[in-house]
Amino acid sequence: MLENVHYRTFSVICTVNGGGFMDRRQRKTRKAIFDAFTKLLEDKTYSNITVQEIIDEADISRSTFYSHFETKDDLLRALCTEIFDHVFSDNISKETSHDFSCGDNDLKEEITHILYHLEDNRRYIGRILSCESGDMFMNYFKEYLEKIFSDELKKIPTDIPIDYLLNHMICDFAETVRWWMKNDTYTPEDVSRFFFSTTPFA
């Protein structure tokens, strides 16, 4: 389940389908849906999970589920947003598996920090990436990566178009993560080293 995702920021900004901000009960219900969904992902692929199974696992009514999410894809989208909002947060704090709160917060540390979060949630991210849901996950992931790489690339003297380099870096790192999810013998530091040894940032 979402052991390493922090809900304290999510509770402030999240809204339900109707558009209003959620109260404590609604946030609790939404967390129960997330937990049920990620638990199911530990044993089944995304395509084989039904909305009814999520409802049963979360112990809620069908109407309650649909008051939060219109479809299973909508649920996956919200889950990705929740994961990435935390992973890519500007406020880096000490975590159970890692601590980058006292570092220089340079690009290599940011990338390694991201890899640690993905490692922490490998159980279900691997499941998401293993079927048709993987493209949706990657599309959201790339949107967040663009924010990180775009500023850094502006600092590199080059005659190569920045938009080409940006696309290259985003796709390279995203596919590195996809490969890593299938090759779990490497640490986040290993993968970070692999990535930076083959980029313009090296």
Side-chain angles (χ1 to χ4, degrees), residues 44-124:
K44 304 182 71 173
T45 61
Y46 174 81
S47 56
N48 289 325
I49 296 173
T50 66
V51 169
Q52 188 59 54
E53 286 176 316
I54 298 169
I55 289 169
D56 292 341
E57 184 67 36
D59 194 21
I60 58 173
S61 67
R62 180 168 287 268
S63 61
T64 297
F65 176 88
Y66 285 112
S67 70
H68 287 266
F69 306 104
E70 295 181 1
T71 63
K72 187 175 68 171
D73 284 351
D74 189 31
L75 169 56
L76 177 60
R77 185 181 303 110
L79 177 62
C80 290
T81 299
E82 171 69 358
I83 294 170
F84 297 145
D85 277 352
H86 177 62
V87 170
F88 290 85
S89 173
D90 291 332
N91 300 315
I92 299 178
S93 57
K94 182 177 181 179
E95 314 248 2
T96 303
S97 61
H98 57 277
D99 182 13
F100 291 91
S101 60
C102 298
D104 296 328
N105 201 28
D106 61 13
L107 183 61
K108 288 187 179 181
E109 280 199 352
E110 285 190 65
I111 290 299
T112 308
H113 179 226
I114 290 168
L115 290 169
Y116 263 102
H117 277 288
L118 297 176
E119 170 78 348
D120 288 342
N121 298 298
R122 175 186 289 273
R123 294 192 308 276
Y124 58 89

Side-chain angles (χ1 to χ4, degrees), residues 37 41 44-49 72-73 76-77 79-80 84 124-141 178:
F37 183 44
L41 279 170
K44 304 182 71 173
T45 61
Y46 174 81
S47 56
N48 289 325
I49 296 173
K72 187 175 68 171
D73 284 351
L76 177 60
R77 185 181 303 110
L79 177 62
C80 290
F84 297 145
Y124 58 89
I125 289 177
R127 287 283 181 174
I128 292 173
L129 290 175
S130 67
C131 54
E132 75 280 3
S133 61
D135 289 339
M136 184 183 296
F137 180 93
M138 278 299 179
N139 285 338
Y140 294 133
F141 188 41
R178 193 194 295 271

Side-chain angles (χ1 to χ4, degrees), residues 145-155 162 166:
L145 289 175
E146 182 175 359
K147 300 173 185 177
I148 287 182
F149 290 136
S150 58
D151 289 340
E152 292 295 327
L153 281 171
K154 293 175 184 176
K155 304 173 186 177
I162 293 298
L166 180 60

